[in-house]
Amino acid sequence: MTPNGYLIFEDDSFLDSTVAKMNALRKSGQFCDVRLQVCGHELMAHRAVLACCSPYLFEVFNGDSEPVGGVSLVKFDDLTPEAVEILLNYAYTAQLKADTSLVRDVYSAAKKLKMERVKQICGDYLLSKMDSQSAIPYRDFASSMGDGRLLGKIDGYIQEHLLELSEQEHFLKLPRLKLEVVLEDNLTLPSNGKLYSKVINWVQRSLWESGEPLERLMEEVQTLYYSADHKLHDGNLLEGQVQPSEGLGCGGVDDEHIQFVQKKAPRESVQRQTSNSSNGSLSPGSTGQHFRHEWKYIASEKTSSNTYLCLAVLNGVLCVVFLHGRASPHCSPYATPCLTKSLSLENQLSQGAEKEDRLEERLLTRMHYARSGLGTAELNGRLIAAGGYNREECLRTVECYDPKKDCWTFIAPMRTPRARFQMAVLMGQLYVMGGSNGHSDELSCGETYDPRADEWTQVPELRTNRCNAGVCALNNKLFVVGGSDPCGQKGLKNCDAFDPVAKTWNNCAPLNIRRHQAAACELDGFMYVIGGAESWNCLNSVERYNPENNTWTLVAPMNVARRGAAVTVHNGKLFVVGGFDGTHALHCVEVYDPARNEWKMLGSMTSARSNAGVAVLGGVVCAVGGFDGNDFLNTVEAYESLSNEWSPCGEAFKQED
């Protein structure tokens, strides 16, 4: 059609064809006039194309008046070559295609190149993939990028899923501050947000006043005092140093702020500025400058009548704050339980007397501590529950359950606090290996318990740090299989065997599939490794190890994919209980028959339990502890095979007796 004597033609395929040809020219290095050197890798491109999509490179090229040999050179030492290649493809094709593992690197490169649209797309993608395991790493990333929009979205997710997050590995490694608030008679703590705004102000003022880094404040439990006029005071008031009605170091403040006792003279203004930055392990480090001195309440939950859990940013550091309210200054919830044998005997006698007066259907006695990610084993007819974690800390205490007396007593504590590990019995002794202490990287250390001496001793360390590894005794050796990588995001194939006589470690054949949080157990001379996760995706696959030929073979998969399940052997079959399916803690239980190579479902537990323990006592399968999706558990329940039911009552043991 030629209106006014002009020919008008639109070629719908021209743009796509031209773009494809230009990208082909880029990849072959033809007519390129810019070299991007990214951490030693060289990428060729065309200045005009890059200048159109990257304001950063436009500024660079605009100031590069005389490129050497007609080719501009731009160096990047802080970007990932794969991510820059993805952005180059986007610049030429308008298509952004990145593997999930590279999205954060692409975001970082887009931020550097000022490609705001790509930043937003990557941020939205991360939000769409966020779950309770990734929320804290994503928040750290958003903070390091200084992305307020992304941070706000992530904090909103954390507010809704705090209890679920508190069970995850990254949460356990966060710095933590423990506070006791002594309440005057008939007082209760205020609502979450208002309470923690006061707490954060108290921390700020304490750091300024003492000049100490934040980590010093976390070395011990801090005691505060909540008075009848709804003000929070330093714990020194309990010692009569200052009365609530007296003037304090910086004068009284209104109800929205915190009063404190001045312990040192105020520091000069220049020192006051530098005290905002903590030293050592709690330094914000790579945190974006915009957030470097951030103080922010994120989320909190009331976990019991006067106990709160909070996630907050203190001086630019993401921290966990635990707060207990108590009426009396003489009773601390953080007190270490007495481990003396006399007290244990006294407890046994008192509990035995109580049992005489109980009804027929008595509840099984609970552990002294709620524990998840604990190590469990049967030893000399008793259930041993070691370590584990709750929202406050990783534990080193070890409890022993006697099913005949239905009581828990303490035995010698482990040398190292640890959680997310498994325990096995080898040559009459308990062995624990690896795990996490909640404050550092995965552990490589291990220890063994001698019941005759009631003491733990160290064993040679693992060759690699391991958390969430399977542990199993087989042919008088201790096997450690799978586990988390140093970043805690991918499973391992590694399998190592420890000889307790020679005290040496040797490599075995690797697993077929990477696994962490898998359950491990010996049955009929074979080792079974069950479920777990490859990265964050739960597995239902099961592998069997034959020590005779050092090989792994896949057997029938479970009906339910699960990680963090517990396993034991009963009547020649594998019992797998609970775990986590990627969304929920599980009640369900299934059993594996090796003769038929098949799994079938059994009756479900009364409580959902992920990262719980299980053992057979007196012919009864018992599940203990774990996390039900909201609370950390100290309860026990037993399986009755005749009725195919689980119960928190002790009828099964009575029948066995």
Side-chain angles (χ1 to χ4, degrees), residues 384-631:
I384 308 297
Y389 58 91
N390 51 38
R391 290 191 176 94
E392 296 174 11
E393 60 188 341
C394 283
L395 305 170
R396 59 190 289 260
T397 56
V398 183
E399 302 188 42
C400 174
Y401 177 71
D402 186 335
K404 295 181 179 179
K405 299 178 180 179
D406 185 30
C407 68
W408 288 91
T409 54
F410 287 99
I411 61 175
M414 294 184 295
R415 302 166 65 96
T416 301
R418 71 179 74 221
R420 295 186 182 273
F421 67 101
Q422 294 179 22
M423 184 161 61
V425 178
L426 178 62
M427 297 182 177
Q429 298 196 168
L430 297 174
Y431 279 82
V432 299
M433 293 303 307
S436 170
N437 63 11
H439 300 291
S440 63
D441 293 333
E442 287 75 10
L443 300 172
S444 60
C445 63
E447 47 193 301
T448 181
Y449 174 76
D450 183 348
R452 294 168 297 182
D454 187 30
E455 66 179 9
W456 294 84
T457 56
Q458 287 184 323
V459 298
E461 293 191 351
L462 290 162
R463 299 180 180 185
T464 57
N465 293 16
R466 299 268 195 102
C467 183
N468 295 315
V471 175
C472 175
L474 176 65
N475 291 351
N476 291 326
K477 292 183 180 179
L478 185 76
F479 288 80
V480 180
V481 57
S484 301
D485 70 346
C487 297
Q489 295 180 359
K490 292 184 179 179
L492 300 173
K493 290 186 176 182
N494 306 40
C495 180
D496 299 298
F498 176 69
D499 185 332
V501 178
K503 298 188 183 304
T504 56
W505 288 96
N506 294 294
N507 291 331
C508 302
L511 288 162
N512 293 293
I513 300 172
R514 295 178 179 272
R515 298 175 190 269
H516 65 100
Q517 292 194 61
C521 195
E522 182 273 338
L523 176 61
D524 297 333
F526 297 97
M527 174 169 54
Y528 289 82
V529 176
I530 303 158
E534 193 166 3
S535 85
W536 289 335
N537 299 317
C538 295
L539 302 169
N540 68 344
S541 58
V542 181
E543 301 188 42
R544 180 174 64 196
Y545 177 73
N546 185 346
E548 296 297 326
N549 55 17
N550 189 32
T551 58
W552 289 93
T553 305
L554 287 167
V555 298
M558 291 184 292
N559 295 288
V560 178
R562 58 181 92 205
R563 59 179 170 83
V567 61
T568 191
V569 173
H570 181 53
N571 292 335
K573 299 177 181 178
L574 295 176
F575 277 63
V576 175
V577 305
F580 188 76
D581 65 1
T583 305
H584 302 100
L586 300 173
H587 295 80
C588 60
V589 179
E590 49 190 307
V591 61
Y592 175 74
D593 185 343
R596 296 174 177 266
N597 188 31
E598 66 179 17
W599 291 86
K600 73 173 184 178
M601 303 302 295
L602 297 180
S604 295
M605 294 182 291
T606 61
S607 296
R609 298 177 187 269
S610 68
N611 293 309
V614 67
V616 176
L617 299 175
V620 179
V621 179
C622 297
V624 58
F627 180 71
D628 67 4
N630 290 304
D631 298 312

Side-chain angles (χ1 to χ4, degrees), residues 2 13 104 112 220 286 309 325 357 368 401 427 436 459 497 592 594 657:
T2 57
S13 64
R104 278 183 278 185
K112 179 74 172 182
E220 58 186 22
S286 62
L309 162 71
D357 300 327
H368 295 88
Y401 177 71
M427 297 182 177
S436 170
V459 298
Y592 175 74
D657 292 343

Side-chain angles (χ1 to χ4, degrees), residues 245-294:
S245 59
E246 296 180 26
L248 298 176
C250 285
V253 293
D254 61 30
D255 188 45
E256 295 301 315
H257 297 82
I258 292 178
Q259 298 185 3
F260 66 95
V261 177
Q262 186 172 323
K263 300 176 183 176
K264 294 184 179 180
R267 301 163 70 85
E268 298 297 328
S269 59
V270 63
Q271 293 175 303
R272 185 174 183 176
Q273 293 174 6
T274 60
S275 68
N276 283 337
S277 177
S278 58
N279 299 319
S281 62
L282 294 182
S283 172
S286 62
T287 300
Q289 186 65 32
H290 178 68
F291 298 96
R292 190 170 182 81
H293 303 312
E294 183 184 19

